[in-house]
Amino acid sequence: TTTTTSTSFEDNSSDCEDSNVITYLAAGMILVISFGIGCTVSPNTLKAVRYQKRALLIGFASQFGFMPLFTYIIAQAADYDTLLAIGCILCGCAPGGSTSNLFTYWSNGNVPLSIVMSATSTLCASFMIPLCIVIYIESSYTTDDIRISYPTLFLTLLLILVPAGLGFTLRYKNTDYQIKGKYIWQWCEKVASILGAVFLVVVLVYAFVYQTEFINQGADVWIPIILLEPVGCIFGYFFAWLTKLDRPSRRAVSLETGVQNYTFVIAMISLTWDDCERQERALIYPYLGSLMYVINSGWLALFFRYMSKYDEKREETEDNSGKEKQEIENNQEVTTTDLYV
């Protein structure tokens, strides 16, 4: 057994078997989920990006601008120790979650936009996460013996980018062969979403059964974790409303902003530190965030779905008002013409 203070990637060897299992599971799940995300992106989806530039810019600013800043403010205001703060900020820096497209669908949101935003945030993570780490972590929380390993970071990012590219290739090539009425890429997408959800359940069971100290946190940890996703969704929706996006697109931007890829954070932390105590401290936020992610995403999707019914009624009312106004204008034109005659 070694007790090293170095956190470099080269001498990264786990001291606890349980941590190794979670690390390998997290790395495997990133491969599967990223492959599934790649399968959702078609050439037509990429072409549609040019018609949704405003929505994508709003989502980008919300995802990589507001969320990292918000988690940094939480860490500063709550006076977290270094490891807890790093775990908190990394949750804010993570790209969108793998199931945000599903929750957008349940919310009657703009699913094509959600798919494009998920793919875009996954690609942008390759340069935005290192930048956010430099701005928010390196400047305030890095010490000589507690440091983010950049080789590990880029390895974790490769676990996202390479499978996503392979998934896109499968989607592009698989245009004929089907299994039970579905293309192979459609099955891969479904399996990836299911396995991603199963992984979160496994992590939560492990955390709350074998690592009970995770749930024994104070209000300074629980309250921000509970509010993290709802606040992100509120900001995304408000920003989309300010820029006059339609309501389904607002819901998509909202969920893409609030839903974080906790699997990515768990894998990066597990691969970075081989010391179990450091791992456990830094993993508090992503573990508890995974729990609240399931709860918050559920009620937010139900809320948005409920509100979408009122949106449809408003649109019908606006359409009827527009028709009535047009009829009045037409009648006025007829009356004016009769007078001239």
Side-chain angles (χ1 to χ4, degrees):
T1 305
T2 59
T3 54
T4 178
T5 57
S6 174
T7 57
S8 62
F9 176 70
E10 289 77 6
D11 59 358
N12 204 9
S13 56
S14 177
D15 293 328
C16 5
E17 296 179 359
D18 289 344
S19 295
N20 264 336
V21 171
I22 293 297
T23 301
Y24 298 143
L25 277 175
M29 281 303 98
I30 287 180
L31 289 171
V32 172
I33 292 169
S34 299
F35 185 79
I37 291 176
C39 288
T40 65
V41 183
S42 68
N44 289 333
T45 305
L46 295 178
K47 290 177 183 177
V49 170
R50 59 185 174 183
Y51 301 111
Q52 298 174 323
K53 291 180 181 178
R54 183 176 50 164
L56 289 174
L57 287 173
I58 293 166
F60 179 86
S62 302
Q63 183 75 53
F64 294 110
F66 174 75
M67 292 301 286
L69 176 61
F70 181 53
T71 49
Y72 176 77
I73 291 172
I74 289 173
Q76 288 285 314
D79 195 24
Y80 290 156
D81 61 74
T82 299
L83 290 169
L84 185 60
I86 288 175
C88 172
I89 296 170
L90 285 177
C91 287
C93 297
S98 60
T99 55
S100 58
N101 309 143
L102 179 61
F103 286 116
T104 300
Y105 172 76
W106 287 344
S107 303
N108 290 331
N110 187 338
V111 177
L113 174 61
S114 176
I115 292 172
V116 173
M117 289 180 67
S118 294
T120 304
S121 68
T122 299
L123 293 173
C124 291
S126 60
F127 59 89
M128 285 307 301
I129 290 178
L131 178 61
C132 289
I133 287 174
V134 170
I135 294 173
Y136 296 112
I137 294 178
E138 294 278 351
S139 62
S140 303
Y141 292 104
T142 298
T143 63
D144 292 336
D145 62 332
I146 300 178
R147 184 176 296 276
I148 295 292
S149 170
Y150 281 98
T152 302
L153 171 62
F154 287 111
L155 172 64
T156 314
L157 290 169
L158 284 176
L159 293 179
I160 293 178
L161 297 175
V162 173
L166 292 174
F168 172 76
T169 303
L170 174 64
R171 172 72 181 265
Y172 180 73
K173 297 290 186 181
N174 179 219
T175 56
D176 297 318
Y177 185 71
Q178 296 183 353
I179 300 175
K180 293 185 177 181
K182 291 184 181 292
Y183 294 106
I184 296 175
W185 61 264
Q186 290 177 310
W187 286 110
C188 291
E189 179 188 347
K190 287 182 178 295
V191 169
S193 297
I194 293 170
L195 289 179
V198 169
F199 171 74
L200 288 177
V201 172
V202 170
V203 167
L204 291 174
V205 170
Y206 166 78
F208 292 113
V209 174
Y210 299 102
Q211 302 289 343
T212 55
E213 66 272 12
F214 281 117
I215 62 174
N216 297 325
Q217 303 298 320
D220 62 325
V221 173
W222 271 110
I223 292 176
I225 285 176
I226 291 171
L227 295 177
L228 181 60
E229 184 176 344
V231 170
C233 287
I234 290 170
F235 178 85
Y237 192 93
F238 179 71
F239 199 4
W241 172 78
L242 279 180
T243 52
K244 299 181 179 179
L245 293 183
D246 59 79
R247 292 185 180 91
S249 296
R250 293 176 205 169
R251 290 192 282 272
V253 171
S254 173
L255 288 168
E256 285 295 327
T257 302
V259 175
Q260 302 298 97
N261 193 337
Y262 291 106
T263 305
F264 170 83
V265 181
I266 291 170
M268 193 170 76
I269 290 174
S270 299
L271 290 169
T272 296
W273 287 291
D274 58 357
D275 184 279
C276 290
E277 292 184 2
R278 289 184 177 180
Q279 272 190 27
E280 291 170 3
R281 188 64 180 165
L283 284 171
I284 286 175
Y285 249 85
Y287 276 165
L288 297 183
S290 299
L291 169 64
M292 294 313 305
Y293 153 77
V294 175
I295 297 172
N296 282 329
S297 297
W299 74 259
L300 282 166
L302 290 173
F303 173 76
F304 280 138
R305 188 176 185 84
Y306 177 78
M307 293 304 295
S308 69
K309 297 178 181 178
Y310 290 94
D311 292 344
E312 292 171 2
K313 290 180 181 178
R314 286 195 199 100
E315 289 173 0
E316 290 177 4
T317 303
E318 289 172 0
D319 290 341
N320 292 333
S321 299
K323 290 177 181 178
E324 290 176 1
K325 188 181 292 184
Q326 187 64 42
E327 288 178 2
I328 292 170
E329 289 176 355
N330 291 338
N331 291 334
Q332 288 176 344
E333 288 177 3
V334 172
T335 304
T336 304
T337 304
D338 291 341
L339 286 173
Y340 278 112
V341 172

